Amino acid sequence: MRLLALLFAFAVVSQAETVVTIRGEDFHLNGKPTYAGREWQGHRIEGLLMNSRMVQGIFDDQNEATVKNWAYPDTGKWDAQRNTREFIAAMPEWKAHGLLAFTLNLQGGSPYGYSKDQPWQNTAISADGTLQPDYLARAEQIITKADELGMVVILGVFYFGQDQRVKDEQAVIAAVDAVTSWIIAKKWRHVLVEVNNEANVKYDHAILKPDRVHELIQRVKAAGLLAGTSFGGGGVPTAKVIEHSDFLLIHGNGVKGPDAMRRFIAKVKQARGDRQIPIVVNEDDHFDFDQPDNNFTAAVKEHVSWGFFDFRMKGEGFDDGYQSVPVNWGISSQRKKGFFGLLKQITGEAER
């Protein structure tokens, strides 16, 4: 009997499947709206997708001159497998606080938070557009765990600090097609594709810039996946991106304060027009979680999902910053505790 119970438990886990869909402005998981029936301070939370920028979950550095910069304080060396292992260990706690999604990038983001130059080489995409197995193996571990937990992965493909490592437009297209095929082959239905991070910043390839990035969104959608792209802080998506996206990803960096956030969201909604698709902030470095009015609460009250962008500031240590490598993936700093505490209140997890 004990053996049968163990086999049954394994079968349940192995068949775990999370399906994300979109109905109008709302996200649904397994046929039900997220945070079903939830209101907070008179505002509808149902249908939102609270998230955090956790792009370094598969980080590595193939540049021998810079890899030493990411050494763990307790070992004095960088360890990509440890990074992913500790990421996965932290995921259940994030979910227990009401987090339903996180952004993971195949080309990462600055391991300092912000960087003028980016000499490190952190990319799952080779120069010819083929995908690197070691990065995919780490990503698969995370995406599979998210599936088991009932979480959504916003999977970013290109990042402007690393896209120059891909040789030409055909390689860019090949990479997008390869990522799409990989997701479909794995039968994942809880992944939203972010073609590139901040398309309006400084990409080398024309097809990754605002005038043409919709071509890549179309390729992903044609394969049956949900797709969009993000714009830099305060940037309103272009008409073509709005027309072809399943959701709109915007960033709050540079949007200084809740009043500015409300004005920014109003501009995005005006640009969106009659297309009733979700708006998701999946990167914002403004906090003030102890204040009654902040960028997070301002977005939520406009029925816009919000995402935490946490990087290590000057003078801070290992416990701070989800963007900064090496990462402590736990809820380990006052800023992290502030975000997750407010998230727990807004989503109703604090009442359970």
Side-chain angles (χ1 to χ4, degrees):
M1 290 295 292
R2 187 175 181 182
L3 177 59
L4 286 174
L6 287 171
L7 289 172
F8 176 75
F10 176 77
V12 170
V13 171
S14 66
Q15 292 173 13
E17 184 177 80
T18 300
V19 180
V20 60
T21 54
I22 295 172
R23 298 183 186 178
E25 295 183 278
D26 292 349
F27 289 96
H28 286 232
L29 290 178
N30 298 329
K32 297 180 180 179
T34 60
Y35 311 113
R38 177 65 181 172
E39 289 190 355
W40 178 73
Q41 295 188 359
H43 298 274
R44 189 169 68 94
I45 306 305
E46 182 179 87
L48 295 181
L49 194 66
M50 306 305 190
N51 64 94
S52 182
R53 182 174 170 83
M54 306 293 201
V55 297
Q56 311 293 24
I58 61 170
F59 179 88
D60 202 1
D61 188 355
Q62 300 158 56
N63 184 344
E64 294 181 1
T66 55
V67 68
K68 63 181 182 294
N69 296 335
W70 327 123
Y72 283 97
D74 59 345
T75 64
K77 62 181 181 180
W78 166 246
D79 186 337
Q81 296 299 330
R82 171 183 173 178
N83 177 58
T84 297
R85 185 170 62 250
E86 292 181 353
F87 184 109
I88 291 168
M91 289 169 64
E93 187 177 19
W94 305 340
K95 175 69 185 304
H97 282 76
L99 195 77
L100 284 186
F102 54 85
T103 300
L104 185 72
N105 275 18
L106 295 178
Q107 286 200 319
S110 169
Y112 290 122
Y114 293 99
S115 305
K116 182 179 179 181
D117 299 310
Q118 301 203 30
W120 44 84
Q121 187 168 342
N122 172 39
T123 175
I125 303 168
S126 301
D128 62 357
T130 56
L131 306 180
Q132 298 188 19
D134 54 340
Y135 277 87
L136 293 191
R138 293 193 296 274
E140 181 174 352
Q141 293 175 56
I142 290 172
I143 296 170
T144 299
K145 185 64 177 180
D147 189 14
E148 295 174 6
L149 290 172
M151 300 180 77
V152 173
V153 179
I154 303 170
L155 184 65
V157 182
F158 287 98
Y159 172 65
F160 59 77
Q162 298 292 317
D163 79 300
Q164 72 277 8
R165 303 189 186 284
V166 181
K167 65 181 180 180
D168 56 27
E169 183 168 305
Q170 287 306 309
V172 170
I173 293 171
V176 169
D177 289 348
V179 171
T180 301
S181 297
W182 174 61
I183 294 169
I184 291 171
K186 295 297 179 181
K187 299 182 179 180
W188 290 324
R189 301 172 67 191
H190 64 303
V191 175
L192 305 174
V193 177
E194 178 183 9
V195 169
N196 57 340
N197 175 74
E198 300 188 341
N200 60 329
V201 182
K202 51 180 181 180
Y203 281 92
D204 285 33
H205 304 285
I207 200 169
L208 289 169
K209 297 179 181 181
D211 288 345
R212 293 187 57 206
V213 70
H214 67 277
E215 297 173 28
L216 297 176
I217 295 172
Q218 287 175 302
R219 295 183 77 89
V220 178
K221 288 182 61 177
L225 302 179
L226 298 171
T229 192
S230 64
F231 279 63
V236 176
T238 57
K240 284 288 188 182
V241 166
I242 292 170
E243 177 185 353
H244 294 284
S245 296
D246 292 302
F247 47 83
L248 301 181
L249 298 177
I250 59 175
H251 289 175
N253 311 348
V255 181
K256 299 180 180 179
D259 287 336
M261 176 60 78
R262 283 183 278 269
R263 291 192 296 270
F264 174 37
I265 289 172
K267 290 179 182 177
V268 175
K269 287 184 175 181
Q270 183 178 19
R272 183 184 63 176
D274 294 334
R275 282 220 74 203
Q276 295 301 299
I277 57 175
I279 299 172
V280 179
V281 177
N282 74 324
E283 181 176 337
D284 193 345
D285 61 0
H286 293 90
F287 314 120
D288 294 328
F289 300 124
D290 59 337
Q291 300 300 311
D293 195 20
N294 53 58
N295 281 23
F296 184 4
T297 59
V300 164
K301 289 177 180 180
E302 297 296 327
H303 201 67
V304 168
S305 306
W306 193 84
F308 180 41
F309 173 32
D310 180 37
F311 62 96
R312 193 172 297 140
M313 300 180 189
K314 187 176 181 180
E316 294 183 331
F318 175 58
D319 288 338
D320 300 278
Y322 285 129
Q323 174 94 4
S324 305
V325 182
V327 186
N328 182 335
W329 293 110
I331 303 176
S332 53
S333 69
Q334 286 304 116
R335 194 163 56 245
K336 294 173 184 176
K337 291 173 183 176
F339 165 66
F340 277 104
L342 180 55
L343 175 68
K344 200 169 188 177
Q345 292 177 33
I346 290 173
T347 61
E349 289 299 324
E351 301 167 12
R352 293 182 184 274

